[in-house]
Amino acid sequence: APALFTDVDGRYRGMDKNIHTVKGHNVYTIFSLWDTFRAVHPLFTLIAPDKNMEFINTMLLQYQQHGLLPVWELMANETGTMIGYHSVPVIWDAYQKGHRDFDVELAFEAMKKSAMQDHLGLADYRNLGFIPFEREGNAVSKTVEYAYDDWCIAEMAKSLGKMEDYETFIHRAQNYRNVFDTSVGFLRGRRADGSWRTPFDPIESSILGSGDFTEGNSWHYTFFAPHDVAGLIELLGGDELFSAKIDEMFAEEPIVTHEAAHDITGLIGQYAQGNEPSHHVAYLHNFAGRAWKTQEKVALIMDSLYTDKPDGISGNEDCGQLSAWYIFSATGFYPVAPGSGDYIIGSPLFEETTIHLDNGKTFTVKTEGRTRDAVYIQSAKFNGKPFHRSYISHKEIEAGGVLEFVMETEPNKEWGYAKEHRPKSYIPDEFRLAPLEERLVFIPFISKEKDLFHEPITFEIECLTPGVTIHYTTDGSEPTQQSAVYDGPITIGETTLVKAKAFRDGMQPSETLRREFIRAYYRHSNRVYPTIELEHGPAGRYTGRGKNALLDGTRGTIDFFDGEWLGFINDVVAKIDLGEPRHVESIRLSFMRNIGSWILLPESIEIAVSSDNINFTVIGTEQHTTTPADYDIGIKEYKFDAGQTFRYARVIARSTRALPEWHPGAGNRPWLFIDEIILEY
């Protein structure tokens, strides 16, 4: 992949579902860009740049038909699978290398538009400088991958003389720093209020759509700042500690903590060659002047995780990425940061490898003395002259020549050690931002676990930004500096919507905290009632904490694996018994929407109440049709007014029978995820 999508007469089905005819190039499909931006497309820039141009021109056609560049396109459908907007580095990498047979202005327009959306956490990423984990699944992975993509946009903008855009995106490219917790030395989930996810374990893995990381953990992602490795080295305490951290990754226990994280494979410690986020990590030693460690680790990966047998790769091939990693690494170098124009040197495997370039020239890599044990570079020559750098540029390769290495069993720790011989990857000093804590007033918070209560409660409003004044309201209005000043604990006895905003001179005010406390009947303090019975139980791994989780007073988060959500493959039919007739003002219930994970909102909801458990009166219904506009992950609360006394309540939520035709899983049965059923009084 990508695979040819045009017929012999140039016709193809576009992303607008119409039949088009293309002239001048072929159209392709299957753009697994989260995987292939790393090495597959950079490999094409060396061995088949004209083909890569066709890929880019296809992406631009898809942009014109669909409105956005592809993320993970399949047969003229945007699947929405995986994260980032990784068409961007493919385009910039080609442009930076002088491959420009496409509409450059259209390409930049498309790149910028992908980055300026409000979906998939981008609004928070843009406004706060990071994505809070309580608002978006895989928030840390998205933050750091968006940051790299934004660096590519910044560099493209600079090359086109668009300096205002350059400044915007070079600032955004530093957002990876905002989810790096220096107190633990890892990327870590962060709340909008500035606090860090607790408890935290860097080995704790998560899957696509659930948890802080995409098919990985903090070990896999902490080293992802390929555009600013110098900044990452600084965060980790300098060259020696940075290099030691990579060593620690390879020495960790090779375990996967999430039962559904099937993509985390090919483990050497916590390095995972079977999935993409780790692929560049072994090469990062070069940036710290420890090129011999890169040579050692790359050789280890090639030797232990690749064979010529049918199962000769350690994970999903992912449309060529695992093979492209091997082709580059066996040749002797790897594109750590596509778009930088540099390849980072590892441990070449073959006695002689020749790349036949599109310009008619050849580039040859030769080794002397390479064996399974002799993996270390002792010396190198390029076109007959001594070569001390641990990287080589694309321009040097395109000019043709011969790069020769002498290999031995003991490392030469001086080769590639000098500062001038290390690869460069940094944000210019004049565009460096101050730490986030010095620029952003964090949103206030209330340290109270449950939104539900049955007796009057007292709470405090706090803010992690020092020196702020907090203004708040309890009447639903937006807080301003004319609203009441928070000066101590607040007590409430009825359902109340609390809003609060923090202000500090010289800084932009915080976002508005919105927290509703609901007086309700729920299971607390060993109470027997209310009880709940389900006609059909939850399915598979999605049984959460059992049926009583629907009445425990704790509302589910954006993570459908948090234990509060129950997942159903059929309709939800629930009956609640309050124990005795009680007055209820409203009935609320929440459903998860995560279309990429096949979780849809209910097609219909019916709420009925009864005093005798026989004769039920319907008090509310709701209908919903799922459309592509629902693609963002979210939680939808449905509220039905009751205003009457009853003992029993019945909830019927009907699942959509099949995923819609525009969905990549069209025809399959979707999931229905429900959490708290709230009986407000």
Side-chain angles (χ1 to χ4, degrees):
L4 185 65
F5 200 49
T6 37
D7 210 333
V8 291
D9 59 0
R11 291 188 303 159
Y12 69 98
R13 184 179 297 278
M15 292 189 78
D16 56 4
K17 309 310 175 192
N18 295 319
I19 303 300
H20 300 267
T21 301
V22 68
K23 294 181 180 179
H25 67 86
N26 288 310
V27 171
Y28 286 80
T29 187
I30 312 179
F31 287 101
S32 179
L33 291 157
W34 184 79
D35 308 297
T36 59
F37 85 87
R38 305 167 197 265
V40 173
H41 288 282
L43 183 60
F44 273 110
T45 67
L46 280 174
I47 64 175
D50 289 347
K51 189 77 71 179
N52 204 49
M53 284 298 94
E54 291 193 306
F55 299 157
I56 291 172
N57 278 302
T58 297
M59 294 176 192
L60 295 180
L61 283 176
Q62 292 174 346
Y63 164 68
Q64 291 173 307
Q65 295 160 4
H66 176 61
L68 290 172
L69 287 167
V71 174
W72 211 122
E73 178 273 346
L74 176 66
M75 303 298 176
N77 293 284
E78 178 52 73
T79 68
T81 305
M82 308 315 294
I83 64 172
Y85 27 94
H86 295 315
S87 295
V88 165
V90 175
I91 295 170
W92 164 240
D93 186 51
Y95 182 89
Q96 194 271 342
K97 291 171 178 174
H99 307 161
R100 302 177 180 181
D101 189 16
F102 57 89
D103 186 331
V104 173
E105 287 297 331
L106 177 66
F108 184 76
E109 172 194 306
M111 294 162 75
K112 186 175 175 181
K113 187 174 180 182
S114 287
M116 297 304 290
Q117 300 301 301
D118 288 338
H119 62 190
L120 301 172
L122 275 168
D124 282 327
Y125 171 85
R126 186 169 61 249
N127 296 328
L128 302 179
F130 69 101
I131 302 173
F133 71 77
E134 73 273 23
R135 299 180 183 176
E136 182 77 16
N138 301 157
V140 177
S141 294
K142 287 175 181 173
T143 296
V144 300
E145 293 196 24
Y146 289 155
Y148 164 68
D149 290 342
D150 285 347
W151 172 79
C152 293
I153 297 173
E155 293 300 308
M156 184 85 163
K158 184 167 68 173
S159 72
L160 297 175
K162 302 177 187 291
M163 295 310 295
E164 186 175 335
D165 286 325
Y166 172 75
E167 186 167 348
T168 295
F169 286 99
I170 204 67
H171 285 163
R172 285 173 49 160
Q174 299 169 62
N175 283 351
Y176 79 93
R177 300 173 69 92
N178 301 333
V179 287
F180 188 96
D181 182 359
T182 54
S183 72
V184 296
F186 284 97
L187 293 180
R188 185 174 180 181
R190 195 172 202 178
R191 293 185 180 275
D193 63 22
S195 63
W196 300 100
R197 181 182 284 281
T198 303
F200 169 74
D201 185 343
I203 288 180
E204 187 66 33
S205 52
S206 51
I207 61 174
L208 180 65
S210 172
D212 295 341
F213 300 95
T214 300
E215 297 180 359
N217 61 26
S218 190
W219 272 115
H220 304 152
Y221 272 93
T222 286
F223 298 100
F224 191 81
H227 59 294
D228 187 25
V229 180
L232 190 57
I233 290 174
E234 174 207 348
L235 287 172
L236 282 165
D239 294 337
E240 186 174 347
L241 291 176
F242 176 78
S243 187
K245 188 85 167 185
I246 300 173
D247 291 341
E248 186 183 352
M249 178 189 193
F250 278 84
E252 272 285 351
E253 187 178 359
I255 58 173
V256 178
T257 62
H258 198 299
E259 62 178 359
H262 306 302
D263 296 282
I264 303 175
T265 58
L267 291 174
I268 303 176
Q270 278 300 308
Y271 177 89
Q273 180 64 19
N275 207 24
E276 280 65 31
S278 295
H279 276 187
H280 67 294
V281 175
Y283 285 91
L284 295 180
H285 284 297
N286 286 26
F287 293 83
R290 275 74 173 169
W292 65 274
K293 289 188 176 184
T294 285
Q295 297 152 28
E296 180 179 272
K297 293 299 187 291
V298 169
L300 172 65
I301 296 164
M302 286 192 290
D303 186 52
S304 62
L305 295 174
Y306 287 86
T307 75
D308 58 359
K309 294 182 172 57
D311 61 348
I313 56 175
S314 57
N316 191 328
E317 168 67 334
D318 284 327
C319 298
Q321 172 58 26
L322 264 69
S323 293
W325 184 96
Y326 186 84
I327 291 168
F328 268 121
S329 296
T331 302
F333 47 81
Y334 185 79
V336 163
S340 69
D342 290 333
Y343 301 95
I344 311 307
I345 291 173
S347 181
L349 180 61
F350 299 114
E351 194 172 298
E352 183 171 316
T353 304
T354 297
I355 301 172
H356 297 274
L357 300 163
D358 192 60
N359 59 13
K361 298 179 180 180
T362 60
F363 180 80
T364 299
V365 178
K366 294 183 177 181
T367 66
E368 177 186 322
R370 176 66 156 93
T371 66
R372 174 170 287 187
D373 297 320
V375 300
Y376 299 104
I377 295 171
Q378 295 302 303
S379 62
K381 291 181 180 180
F382 184 41
N383 292 333
K385 297 180 180 179
F387 187 80
H388 304 291
R389 283 189 278 118
S390 63
Y391 68 97
I392 189 168
S393 72
H394 185 85
K395 286 183 179 179
E396 289 174 307
I397 292 174
E398 277 204 326
V402 179
L403 181 60
E404 301 172 83
F405 296 99
V406 175
M407 313 296 290
E408 290 189 8
T409 57
E410 295 296 324
N412 176 1
K413 297 181 180 181
E414 296 302 313
W415 190 85
Y417 178 79
K419 293 279 189 182
E420 63 269 23
H421 297 152
R422 303 178 191 182
K424 309 296 187 292
S425 169
Y426 61 93
I427 302 292
D429 288 342
E430 61 269 31
F431 294 102
R432 279 276 180 202
L433 294 173
L436 183 67
E437 292 77 5
E438 298 175 16
R439 298 181 281 115
L440 177 71
V441 176
F442 289 115
I443 190 172
F445 63 95
I446 297 171
S447 295
K448 204 156 196 68
E449 180 184 354
K450 295 183 185 295
D451 294 337
L452 276 57
F453 67 95
H454 66 286
E455 294 178 349
I457 58 170
T458 300
F459 57 85
E460 297 180 350
I461 305 175
E462 303 172 74
C463 182
L464 291 181
T465 302
V468 300
T469 301
I470 299 173
H471 294 263
Y472 75 98
T473 65
T474 56
D475 61 1
S477 62
E478 184 70 12
T480 67
Q481 288 179 290
Q482 283 68 52
S483 302
V485 175
Y486 174 76
D487 59 5
I490 298 170
T491 299
I492 59 173
E494 297 182 348
T495 296
T496 303
L497 175 59
V498 180
K499 291 186 177 182
K501 197 166 191 172
F503 297 82
R504 178 175 166 179
D505 290 344
M507 297 176 72
Q508 182 176 332
S510 75
E511 294 182 297
T512 299
L513 166 70
R514 185 186 186 280
R515 184 88 185 265
E516 186 177 22
F517 292 99
I518 305 167
R519 187 175 66 176
Y521 303 110
Y522 64 98
R523 296 176 67 88
H524 59 86
S525 303
N526 298 316
R527 288 178 64 98
V528 175
Y529 292 98
T531 62
I532 186 167
E533 295 299 329
L534 300 172
E535 187 172 297
H536 307 287
R541 295 189 295 265
Y542 308 114
T543 57
R545 303 191 211 285
K547 63 182 181 180
N548 287 333
L550 300 178
L551 295 171
D552 66 358
T554 301
R555 307 177 82 172
T557 67
I558 203 74
D559 185 351
F560 58 82
F561 260 117
D562 67 5
E564 295 299 327
W565 294 97
L566 304 189
F568 295 80
I569 204 69
N570 297 303
D571 299 338
V572 175
V573 181
K575 190 177 290 185
I576 299 161
D577 181 359
L578 289 167
E580 61 183 1
R582 292 183 179 273
H583 185 81
V584 176
E585 285 295 325
S586 71
I587 298 176
R588 309 188 194 193
L589 50 157
S590 295
F591 290 89
M592 168 72 72
R593 180 185 65 215
N594 188 331
I595 291 180
S597 296
W598 295 22
I599 303 170
L600 272 57
L601 294 175
E603 189 173 72
S604 67
I605 302 172
E606 178 189 283
I607 306 295
V609 299
S610 171
S611 295
D612 59 10
N613 201 23
I614 298 173
N615 301 297
F616 281 84
T617 301
V618 175
I619 64 168
T621 61
E622 184 82 25
Q623 303 287 325
H624 178 78
T625 300
T626 295
T627 71
D630 289 325
Y631 232 103
D632 263 7
I633 297 171
I635 299 170
K636 182 171 177 61
E637 181 185 84
Y638 296 87
K639 182 178 180 181
F640 301 89
D641 292 332
Q644 58 185 286
T645 299
F646 55 84
R647 176 173 174 176
Y648 302 95
R650 186 183 67 203
V651 174
I652 301 176
R654 301 200 182 279
S655 169
T656 302
R657 291 298 178 259
L659 290 164
E661 62 178 14
W662 48 263
H663 193 281
N668 289 287
R669 187 71 182 250
W671 287 88
L672 194 59
F673 272 63
I674 183 173
D675 179 35
E676 201 66 15
I677 300 175
I678 301 173
L679 300 121
E680 179 187 358
Y681 69 95

